[in-house]
Amino acid sequence: MTRSVLFDTETTGLEPLAGDRVIEVACLELWRDLPTGESFHRFIDPERDIPPEATRVHGMTRADLRGKPRFADIADDLLAFLGQDPLVAHNAPFDFGFLDAEFARLRRPALDPARMIDTLALAKVRFPGAPNGLDALCRRYGIDLTERTTHNALLDCRLLADVYVELTGGRQRGLLLAEDGQEGLPGVTYAAVGPRTPRLVQPGQAALDRHAAFVARLKDPVWTA
């Protein structure tokens, strides 16, 4: 897997099938699980009211979104950015459900669930029984949360990108190696992994003596069998 897209939505509520709508969508392009800097971000007029309890979560009111594009106006650009690549989200079934409901209103096909990568599910496997919300994972991995005073789709994507790197092994961009014939992260120089020439490493006498003394203290060491 090379390209994937990490995304998040903010909504008017919790029930897409009961009429709740998407009001913000943000996406980050990942290449081998690391952000490339390419992103997609839109605020959306939901064409309905926003309940106060939802505003308390994300800070947006109906007045804030009047005059913003409707979902129908951004659907083509969103689908082009998503492409056919894997889609990463925290509690991904929630976000898939809202996007699918929006696409259904436009008579567009639903997203393929086989593309879903749910970081909440990954976190529950790694930390069973522990809090695994985005805030909890950021604190666990030492990721700065000072800007997260309310939910914001683009900021949440950036935080989740850092969490996702940790959940998938803590890879560092500067340490990546591109295998022969494989394409690397755009704009990054990779060291090619090719045939290696074996090199004999001969320890000095002092190292051999220390090793012999260490082995002598072991009970039935395999080195002397």
Side-chain angles (χ1 to χ4, degrees):
M1 181 174 66
T2 52
R3 184 183 188 267
S4 56
V5 176
L6 184 151
F7 78 103
D8 185 44
T9 61
E10 297 298 339
T11 66
T12 64
L14 302 176
E15 299 295 339
L17 299 182
D20 282 318
R21 303 290 300 272
V22 174
I23 61 172
E24 184 185 9
V25 59
C27 311
L28 297 182
E29 181 183 64
L30 306 180
W31 197 268
R32 294 185 177 177
D33 298 339
L34 296 173
T36 66
E38 295 296 321
S39 63
F40 177 94
H41 182 219
R42 298 289 189 277
F43 291 103
I44 299 164
D45 185 341
E47 305 177 86
R48 56 151 291 169
D49 66 302
I50 300 178
E53 56 270 24
T55 296
R56 283 193 291 271
V57 173
H58 47 61
M60 285 179 277
T61 66
R62 181 72 179 88
D64 295 327
L65 297 169
R66 285 197 176 93
K68 300 296 182 184
R70 299 168 302 158
F71 191 89
D73 301 323
I74 66 101
D76 287 340
D77 290 341
L78 174 60
L79 285 168
F81 193 90
L82 296 179
Q84 296 300 315
D85 303 296
L87 301 176
V88 183
H90 200 65
N91 191 18
F94 176 89
D95 298 285
F96 267 66
F98 266 94
L99 290 186
D100 286 345
E102 295 288 357
F103 290 136
R105 291 185 180 94
L106 303 176
R107 294 182 171 82
R108 301 286 188 93
L111 297 170
D112 182 353
R115 299 169 65 187
M116 182 188 299
I117 298 175
D118 184 6
T119 53
L120 178 59
L122 295 177
K124 286 180 177 179
V125 171
R126 177 161 290 194
F127 306 109
N132 284 306
L134 183 56
D135 284 1
L137 290 169
C138 286
R139 285 191 290 269
R140 190 171 295 138
Y141 287 124
I143 296 167
D144 186 6
L145 277 168
T146 54
E147 294 184 38
R148 195 173 192 249
T149 54
T150 59
H151 285 246
N152 170 286
L154 186 58
L155 175 59
D156 285 358
C157 279
R158 290 170 177 159
L159 294 172
L160 183 58
D162 290 339
V163 167
Y164 185 50
V165 167
E166 297 296 338
L167 285 173
T168 54
R171 297 171 62 187
Q172 297 181 29
R173 180 178 309 211
L175 297 180
L176 288 175
L177 298 175
E179 296 178 6
D180 291 342
Q182 287 191 339
E183 187 178 356
L185 183 67
V188 176
T189 300
Y190 291 78
V193 177
R196 293 176 174 84
T197 301
R199 184 170 58 120
L200 177 65
V201 178
Q202 181 63 50
Q205 188 58 49
L208 292 171
D209 291 343
R210 287 196 299 272
H211 177 69
F214 172 77
V215 170
R217 296 197 300 270
L218 300 177
K219 181 179 180 181
D220 300 324
V222 297
W223 296 276
T224 60

